[in-house]
Amino acid sequence: MLLSVLLLIGQGWAQTRTITGKVSDENGGPLVGASVTVKGTTLGTTTDDAGNFSLNVPGSARALVISSVNFKTQEIAIGNRSNFSVSLQSGTADLEEVVVVGYSTRRKIEEGGAISQIKGAEIANLPNVSVDRALQGRAAGVLVQANNGIPGGAINVRIRGTASFSGGTQPLYIIDGVQFNNRIDGGFTQNNPLAFLNPNDIESIEGLKDAASSSIYGAQAANGVVLITTRNGKAGKTKFTLNINGGTTRPLKKFDVLNTQEYVNMRAEADFNRWAPQARSAGIAYPFLESQRWALGELSSATGVPYGGGTALFSQRQVDSMISALPTFDWQDQSIQTGVINNVDFTMTGGSDRNTFIFGANYTKQSTIFKKVDFERFGGTLGMVNKISNKITLRPKLFISTFEQKPPFATDGSFLGSPMFSAPLIVPVNRVRNADGSYFGLPPTQALAGILNQNVIAVNDFNTGYQRPNKLVGSMGIDIPWFWKCRLQVGTRSIVPRPQDQRWVRSTRSFNRSEQLEHQPPYKPYIKLEHQGRRKDQTGWSCWI
């Protein structure tokens, strides 16, 4: 038996051997901390300060996998060799990637600023109504928070923190060289200036996070800059792309609230705990039945039975019978619906080596779980890249968009007229509608029981409001080899508002109110002049007029 064990141990030693080697870079310098592992196993080691390694490998090992940061991974067959000399090649593919910086483009390896980049493929076909929502969770160091759940509503984007308590804190948005107003105007709509742009039209998004962006854009870039580059056509056969997606939205959870019987007993206990001790100290009897009578009297506006001359005369049996017969109405269910999301996107691209084009059309409609909060957008894109000669290139691009946004009665969550805030707080004995289908609790003939004495569902239905902006954004870029390389881009942005479509109506029996939203200037022409050095290590200049 002992001999058999020794033979097995000897075979195990014969199947394991030690291999050594050295790992260096393409210039022959040692690579410290390079990983050397046996392929398909967890066996491995790292190189020392001289780039050397030593590793015990089983006889079944076939290959070594050697890797290091910023170098290409290499796989080497082991065979019968016991010593290896490995040279890893630099892996600079990511550093050769081009990013947009100000009015120019650079390779990542040449850029020393803090930049976060998001590719258009990462946000394609996602249910994002506006572009700034696509930044959420995808750009390091960028905080994106929605003010509310309104589709196309305002978004808070923080790139460099809160730089001002009284001034604006939003970053500067630039789409294909066009600066956009990032103000949030309108106390009810909280409109989003970027809601006109279809997220599927985006090629890339760059966030300039450091203070160097202020040297290009001035004080407007104090809160950071978001550069958005849209897609262009590609040479080749004409390609047609149609994307259709849809979905529904439902609330994750409703608030847990009391039913009517639990509410009445809770109010009775609160009344009894308050007055019974005082009554006992005064030698007066104050039974729990009296507190129940009072609690039922509180609901007189909904039940029609007051305390004085009504519930105050009820016996215990009558009180118990009335409490058990009281109905419970779920106001949250009445104010919530199933939201719908529909997106249709059509794109046609193609062209030759000298001329490429892109044409796109899109339609988006989204409604939320609360009624009368809708967003509908129609948009179109037309762009070309025309090489007039070997030295002159034209880059015209045009965006057209019209969208309609229907906001709720209130965008602030704590507003009493907002169903999303008030529905869970209404006493459940109150009915939403009368037997004839009309709303219950409308003044002056009716009122709801409890401190929230208005029918918030009726208030939301009686109120209507929407905005319908039309936007036209155009630009023309001209590439001319003037002083090595110079690019001139001129264009205009046109926002065509329709004030007559922006209105708020409360009720024909109450009062009317109207609100005029502020708008960006209807036309904002611009001229952009950009110059880059002849060599890669030269820094060019650019200006905005």
Side-chain angles (χ1 to χ4, degrees), residues 132 135 139-145 147 155-165 167-171 173 182 184 208-209 222-226:
D132 39 12
L135 296 172
V142 179
L143 175 64
V144 181
Q145 294 177 321
N147 289 355
I155 301 291
N156 284 325
V157 179
R158 299 288 184 269
I159 293 182
R160 298 177 59 191
T162 302
S164 173
F165 291 102
T169 56
Q170 299 295 315
Y173 293 96
N182 54 6
I184 302 173
L208 308 185
K209 298 182 291 184
N223 300 312
V225 180
V226 176

Side-chain angles (χ1 to χ4, degrees), residues 379-449:
T381 306
L382 180 61
M384 296 179 62
V385 177
N386 186 2
K387 294 183 179 180
I388 299 178
S389 66
N390 293 332
K391 297 183 178 180
I392 301 177
T393 302
L394 298 179
R395 303 175 183 273
K397 182 163 286 190
L398 180 68
F399 291 93
I400 185 171
S401 175
T402 177
F403 64 87
E404 181 178 292
Q405 183 186 28
K406 295 181 180 179
F409 172 68
T411 58
D412 295 331
S414 59
F415 200 89
L416 294 180
S418 173
M420 65 188 74
F421 173 77
S422 299
L425 303 179
I426 294 178
V427 178
V429 73
N430 293 294
R431 56 190 180 276
V432 179
R433 294 181 181 270
N434 296 311
D436 59 359
S438 62
Y439 282 113
F440 171 74
L442 297 182
T445 57
Q446 293 178 325
L448 269 65

Side-chain angles (χ1 to χ4, degrees), residues 29-98:
L31 281 181
V32 181
S35 174
V36 181
T37 59
V38 178
K39 184 179 180 180
T41 70
T42 58
L43 298 175
T45 185
T46 57
T47 58
D48 57 20
D49 293 341
N52 298 319
F53 69 90
S54 177
L55 179 64
N56 294 326
V57 299
S60 59
R62 294 292 179 266
L64 294 177
V65 178
I66 303 172
S67 61
S68 182
V69 179
N70 293 332
F71 288 88
K72 296 180 180 179
T73 300
Q74 190 170 345
E75 184 176 319
I76 300 175
I78 296 178
N80 296 324
R81 301 165 56 188
S82 59
N83 187 267
F84 298 86
S85 178
V86 183
S87 177
L88 296 184
Q89 300 296 317
S90 176
T92 58
D94 293 339
L95 297 179
E96 293 294 331
E97 187 176 348
V98 174

Side-chain angles (χ1 to χ4, degrees), residues 127-455:
N128 294 318
V129 173
S130 60
V131 176
D132 39 12
R133 289 180 185 266
L135 296 172
Q136 193 167 19
R138 292 181 175 85
V142 179
L143 175 64
V144 181
Q145 294 177 321
N147 289 355
N148 44 61
I150 300 176
I155 301 291
N156 284 325
V157 179
R158 299 288 184 269
I159 293 182
R160 298 177 59 191
T162 302
S164 173
F165 291 102
S166 58
T169 56
Q170 299 295 315
L172 174 65
Y173 293 96
I174 298 179
I175 303 176
D176 288 337
V178 182
Q179 296 187 23
F180 275 82
N181 176 17
N182 54 6
R183 291 172 53 189
I184 302 173
D185 297 324
F188 282 82
T189 57
Q190 293 201 358
N191 54 302
N192 189 336
L194 301 180
F196 81 97
L197 185 61
N198 179 24
N200 288 340
D201 288 337
I202 294 175
E203 181 72 25
S204 67
I205 302 175
E206 277 85 14
L208 308 185
K209 298 182 291 184
D210 57 10
S213 57
S214 298
S215 64
I216 304 174
Y217 301 103
Q220 299 178 95
N223 300 312
V225 180
V226 176
L227 301 173
I228 301 174
T229 304
T230 59
R231 292 190 298 170
N232 287 312
K234 296 182 179 180
K237 294 182 179 180
T238 302
K239 182 180 179 181
F240 299 89
T241 304
L242 177 63
N243 292 321
I244 302 176
N245 58 74
T248 59
T249 59
R250 294 183 177 89
L252 295 176
K253 190 179 185 299
K254 298 189 302 181
F255 286 104
D256 294 328
V257 296
L258 303 177
N259 60 31
T260 301
Q261 287 71 30
E262 293 170 337
Y263 173 81
V264 172
N265 290 329
M266 180 195 67
R267 293 292 291 167
E269 290 177 5
D271 178 80
F272 183 78
N273 292 334
R274 178 184 179 184
W275 296 110
Q278 299 182 31
R280 283 195 299 266
S281 62
I284 302 174
Y286 195 87
F288 185 71
L289 174 62
E290 186 63 28
S291 295
Q292 290 179 306
R293 293 169 177 170
W294 171 84
L296 285 173
E298 270 196 325
L299 309 179
S300 60
S301 57
T303 62
V305 183
Y307 175 74
T311 59
L313 305 178
F314 283 4
S315 65
Q316 183 68 62
R317 183 175 181 179
Q318 289 176 310
V319 167
D320 293 340
S321 176
M322 184 175 180
I323 292 176
S324 61
L326 291 176
T328 297
F329 298 94
D330 193 333
W331 282 74
Q332 294 184 83
D333 276 347
Q334 294 293 325
S335 59
I336 291 176
Q337 64 179 1
T338 299
V340 179
I341 303 174
N342 290 314
N343 290 303
V344 180
D345 184 83
F346 171 77
T347 306
M348 180 174 62
T349 60
S352 62
D353 294 337
R354 302 189 65 86
N355 298 281
T356 60
F357 69 91
I358 180 171
F359 170 76
N362 61 85
Y363 170 75
T364 299
K365 185 173 183 179
Q366 182 173 348
S367 59
T368 67
I369 59 175
F370 288 96
K371 297 179 180 179
K372 301 177 68 174
V373 185
D374 302 328
F375 179 90
E376 188 175 24
R377 177 181 62 213
F378 296 89
T381 306
L382 180 61
M384 296 179 62
V385 177
N386 186 2
K387 294 183 179 180
I388 299 178
S389 66
N390 293 332
K391 297 183 178 180
I392 301 177
T393 302
L394 298 179
R395 303 175 183 273
K397 182 163 286 190
L398 180 68
F399 291 93
I400 185 171
S401 175
T402 177
F403 64 87
E404 181 178 292
Q405 183 186 28
K406 295 181 180 179
F409 172 68
T411 58
D412 295 331
S414 59
F415 200 89
L416 294 180
S418 173
M420 65 188 74
F421 173 77
S422 299
L425 303 179
I426 294 178
V427 178
V429 73
N430 293 294
R431 56 190 180 276
V432 179
R433 294 181 181 270
N434 296 311
D436 59 359
S438 62
Y439 282 113
F440 171 74
L442 297 182
T445 57
Q446 293 178 325
L448 269 65
I451 58 173
L452 294 179
N453 57 0
Q454 59 176 318
N455 190 323

